[in-house]
Amino acid sequence: PKMKEERCLQAALLCLGVLCCSQGLERPGRARPSLHGHRDRGKEGQVLHRSKRGWVWNQFFVIEEYTGPDPVLVGRLHSDIDSGDGNIKYILSGEGAGIIFVIDDKSGNIHATKTLDREERAQYTLTAQAVDRNTNRPLEPPSEFIVKVQDINDNPPEFLHENYHANVPERSNVGTSVIQVTASDADDPTYGNSAKLVYSILEGQPYFSVEAQTGIIRTALPNMDREAKEEYHVVIQAKDMGGHMGGLSGTTKVTITLTDVNDNPPKFPQSVYQMSVSEAAVPGEEVGRVKAKDPDIGENGLVAYSIIDGDGMDMFEITTDYETQEGVVKLKKTLDYETKKSYSLKVEAANVHIDPKFISNGPFKDTVTVKIAVEDADEPPVFLKPSYIFEVQENAASGTVVGKVHAKDPDAANSAIRYSIDRHTDLERYFVINAEDGNIKTIKTLDREEMAWHNISVFAVEVHKQHQEAKVPVAIKVIDVNDNAPKFAAAYEAFVCENARSNQQFITISADDKDDSANGPRFIFSLPPEIIHNPNFTLRDNRDNTASVLVRREGFSRQKQDLYLLPIVISDGGVPPLSSTNTLSIRVCGCDGSGSLLSCNAEAYVLNAGLSTGALIAILACIVILLVIVVLFVTLKRQKKEPLIVFEEEDVRENIITYDDEGGGEEDTEAFDIATLQNPDGINGFIPRKDIKPEYQYLPRPGLRPAPNSVDVDDFINTRIQEADNDPTAPPYDSIQIYGYEGRGSVAGSLSSLESATTDSDLDYDYLQNWGPRFKKLADLYGSKDTFDDDS
């Protein structure tokens, strides 16, 4: 029905256009009334003569898209001079002439032979001309005219895009602009209403509307919620003919997405969360997760979690996992099931970003209760102290109690505990522990001076669960007992001059005690009671843990006595005190007038006055060195021996001959024969050795020696190896001799090719004839033996 109405309207318009053109063209086609021979009166009554215009017409019109069976008559051309006898010929040229537009050259009728489309071309410019049919002489000047294509509504509106995408915030006010869609119509906008468009919405009501003239889409409902529906599909229609019946239309699809705003607070899906954690968990371990749901997205849905109340605020903490939007409850401190078995937390979830426009929808936060149960874990024993320090006196009897350690099972079962010492920390086995009560005792006598501290480790293990054990360090200090007497601090050796004066101090001594300072200094120095009135020396205690030894009389003689032994008693300050007697050696020495030592030997007086002891020692050392040099020289002279092997002059066996010049021609080339390595003088014998007497005469086996002229190096070397292996007289080393001259000649003869034609040679070069053309030159040079004989 709609299409039928459009077709009827088009047919009616087409007929009307054809009729108008056929009637109107004939008038313009004919020449205006000829003024030739007529007079027109002017303003002043003058008669004006005007030359005749051959033809004049207005522009023609043709309706586009005409689909009739016959060509469309566009118009008719006619000249005033055309008498109808057929002598005038009408010619049409220009755009489309002869292809689209044809003219009857007799009548001047112009027809359109093809369907025209105004959207392809709106007008054509043509040129008309009237000529004499016989002579082709122009009868009228050529004249241009325009054929316009009359528009019909044959193009529907088309949108710039087939699909549009647009966004608009949710809960926008009614009338908020979303997007503008634009359509275009190819029809003529200046003729009729074919290109006058009107927009309307086909799908998308009642959410959106469109302005009829501009194509702007606007929201039509308030408070559209993205969480309820996020995407809308809207269909917009553009219709020409001003939207009236019979117009053509086009549509486009617009996808409208509601963007999110923070209009929803977070909400926990439940009021209480139940969690559990083992008491063995370490701080930082995750306990559980909570999540408040927020239907908003992006930053509008970001939620931060915090603990705002509860008895577990000090034991637990919560962090936010922004990827999953969850609150992660973590352990903050170590738990003890036996102390507290459950905790309660109040957790709050709040939006990070709040939109002030929707603050009335708040509060944008929610709270939930988290209950955490502590689970009992099978814990190892726990010592009452992290470490133990005990003391025991040195030299205490075996079995002395050092101290006691104690551990307990922290579990509710409270299992019995057994103790043991880590033997890696007590390799000498000084201590033992009672497995039941933890008492530590000594099993060896301890010596503080040997080891003042003992560091051991004690294990505590549950009786029924051997894998549950604990370890504690135990430090045992050995208390000092005064069991070491003081001694000289060093190995003192005193010297006194023969001319020493009375009460002269000649040495200061000190003492050392291995005991602790409480049982050591202060030291007391004294002489034994039996020699307290020693006539030679006396002792003075300096009361600073040192003592001075002084000379009691004057005049000492080395000839009478050169060494004195002075016993000294040293007592410590321990309880009870200990003392020891130490002997000080005092040697009598000769001194000069200033008191400097000269000699402490008694034999020095019997020596000649002109030589000192040092000079005599130096003389004796020189004599000994000279005697040793002479003996060594004589010994080396006697041990010089003759060579082990008698090498004759011409023996070249196993020798290496080197040349320091470039050679001397023929003699040089002959030195490279393999026979050169054979000894020409000893070819039938062997080389005797002078250092040993052979047990039997060695005769070389004749089958092992190759012919002198043999060139088989392998056979020659193997023969030499066998001879050396089986020769009992051969030296146990290789002899390498280097000659700076070429020798007296070679038994092998020359290898030079320069004399091959004049020397006797038993070498056969006939095989060169079989080596092909590449060796023909060599074959010609050497030829065969017979050839050589003939040539010579």
Side-chain angles (χ1 to χ4, degrees), residues 33-192:
S34 177
L35 298 180
H36 186 67
H38 294 274
R39 297 188 179 127
D40 291 339
R41 295 187 181 272
K43 295 180 180 179
E44 298 179 356
Q46 297 178 354
V47 176
L48 299 178
H49 296 274
R50 184 172 60 182
S51 61
K52 185 187 77 170
R53 297 283 304 271
W55 56 29
V56 177
W57 57 78
N58 296 327
Q59 60 184 4
F60 297 154
F61 294 90
V62 59
I63 297 178
E64 66 171 335
E65 304 293 347
Y66 174 72
T67 57
D70 300 324
V72 179
L73 178 63
V74 177
R76 180 183 179 190
L77 298 179
H78 186 73
S79 175
D80 288 343
I81 62 176
D82 186 3
S83 58
D85 54 3
N87 291 327
I88 295 179
K89 179 181 177 181
Y90 295 98
I91 299 174
L92 185 65
S93 62
E95 298 173 344
I99 300 174
I100 300 176
F101 304 101
V102 296
I103 189 171
D104 188 344
D105 59 353
K106 292 183 179 180
S107 63
N109 291 333
I110 301 174
H111 291 82
T113 61
K114 293 184 178 181
T115 302
L116 302 180
D117 187 358
R118 190 202 66 85
E119 285 70 41
E120 290 184 3
R121 188 158 190 162
Q123 65 182 19
Y124 297 85
T125 302
L126 299 172
T127 302
Q129 190 174 14
V131 299
D132 186 275
R133 185 177 295 273
N134 297 322
T135 63
N136 286 330
R137 182 176 58 84
L139 301 177
E140 295 282 353
S143 179
E144 288 186 353
F145 64 94
I146 296 174
V147 178
K148 282 193 173 183
V149 182
Q150 189 73 42
D151 181 55
I152 65 172
N153 189 18
D154 59 340
N155 290 280
E158 293 183 359
F159 284 91
L160 298 181
H161 303 285
E162 184 178 354
N163 292 288
Y164 289 84
H165 295 274
N167 298 322
V168 63
E170 62 174 331
R171 301 191 181 277
S172 296
N173 296 328
V174 175
T176 301
S177 175
V178 179
I179 190 175
Q180 182 178 13
V181 295
T182 304
S184 61
D185 196 318
D187 292 324
D188 189 359
T190 63
Y191 180 78

Side-chain angles (χ1 to χ4, degrees), residues 89-404:
K89 179 181 177 181
Y90 295 98
I91 299 174
L92 185 65
S93 62
E95 298 173 344
I99 300 174
I100 300 176
F101 304 101
V102 296
I103 189 171
D104 188 344
D105 59 353
K106 292 183 179 180
S107 63
N109 291 333
I110 301 174
H111 291 82
T113 61
K114 293 184 178 181
T115 302
L116 302 180
D117 187 358
R118 190 202 66 85
E119 285 70 41
E120 290 184 3
R121 188 158 190 162
Q123 65 182 19
Y124 297 85
T125 302
L126 299 172
T127 302
Q129 190 174 14
V131 299
D132 186 275
R133 185 177 295 273
N134 297 322
T135 63
N136 286 330
R137 182 176 58 84
L139 301 177
E140 295 282 353
S143 179
E144 288 186 353
F145 64 94
I146 296 174
V147 178
K148 282 193 173 183
V149 182
Q150 189 73 42
D151 181 55
I152 65 172
N153 189 18
D154 59 340
N155 290 280
E158 293 183 359
F159 284 91
L160 298 181
H161 303 285
E162 184 178 354
N163 292 288
Y164 289 84
H165 295 274
N167 298 322
V168 63
E170 62 174 331
R171 301 191 181 277
S172 296
N173 296 328
V174 175
T176 301
S177 175
V178 179
I179 190 175
Q180 182 178 13
V181 295
T182 304
S184 61
D185 196 318
D187 292 324
D188 189 359
T190 63
Y191 180 78
N193 294 327
S194 298
K196 186 178 182 180
L197 304 182
V198 174
Y199 299 94
S200 61
I201 184 169
L202 300 182
E203 295 181 15
Q205 301 97 337
Y207 307 104
F208 300 95
S209 62
V210 63
E211 291 184 357
Q213 304 301 324
T214 62
I216 297 176
I217 301 175
R218 300 181 182 274
T219 58
L221 281 181
N223 297 324
M224 285 191 292
D225 191 2
R226 185 199 65 84
E227 288 72 33
K229 186 176 181 180
E230 183 176 7
E231 191 174 85
Y232 295 85
H233 299 285
V234 178
V235 178
I236 303 297
Q237 181 190 67
K239 190 174 184 180
D240 58 13
M241 299 299 293
H244 294 93
M245 184 179 296
L248 303 180
S249 64
T251 60
T252 186
K253 183 178 180 180
V254 183
T255 301
I256 301 176
T257 302
L258 298 183
T259 57
D260 185 64
V261 297
N262 191 12
D263 57 340
N264 294 281
K267 185 71 177 178
F268 284 104
Q270 57 196 71
S271 58
V272 177
Y273 283 87
Q274 298 285 347
M275 299 180 185
S276 62
V277 60
S278 173
E279 63 173 333
V282 297
E285 186 173 333
E286 180 178 328
V287 178
R289 295 187 173 219
V290 297
K291 184 175 183 179
K293 294 183 178 180
D294 190 333
D296 297 322
I297 60 175
E299 67 175 14
N300 296 320
L302 293 180
V303 178
Y305 297 88
S306 60
I307 299 176
I308 60 176
D309 198 5
D311 57 0
M313 293 183 65
D314 296 334
M315 305 300 295
F316 300 92
E317 61 182 355
I318 191 168
T319 59
T320 303
D321 186 346
Y322 286 103
E323 292 185 2
T324 61
Q325 290 298 300
E326 293 177 318
V328 184
V329 181
K330 295 182 180 180
L331 184 62
K332 191 175 180 181
K333 295 181 180 180
T334 304
L335 301 173
D336 186 9
Y337 172 81
E338 289 69 29
T339 303
K340 188 173 178 61
K341 297 180 175 58
S342 64
Y343 294 89
S344 178
L345 302 173
K346 188 174 183 181
V347 177
E348 179 185 79
N351 276 139
V352 177
H353 303 282
I354 299 177
D355 193 340
K357 296 179 182 179
F358 305 99
I359 195 70
S360 59
N361 293 5
F364 288 87
K365 57 185 177 180
D366 194 16
T367 58
V368 70
T369 300
V370 179
K371 294 184 177 181
I372 303 174
V374 181
E375 297 178 348
D376 188 20
D378 189 7
E379 299 176 89
V382 177
F383 283 95
L384 298 185
K385 295 181 180 180
S387 63
Y388 292 86
I389 298 178
F390 299 131
E391 294 181 350
V392 61
Q393 284 191 343
E394 66 174 327
N395 302 327
S398 176
T400 301
V401 176
V402 176
K404 181 180 181 179

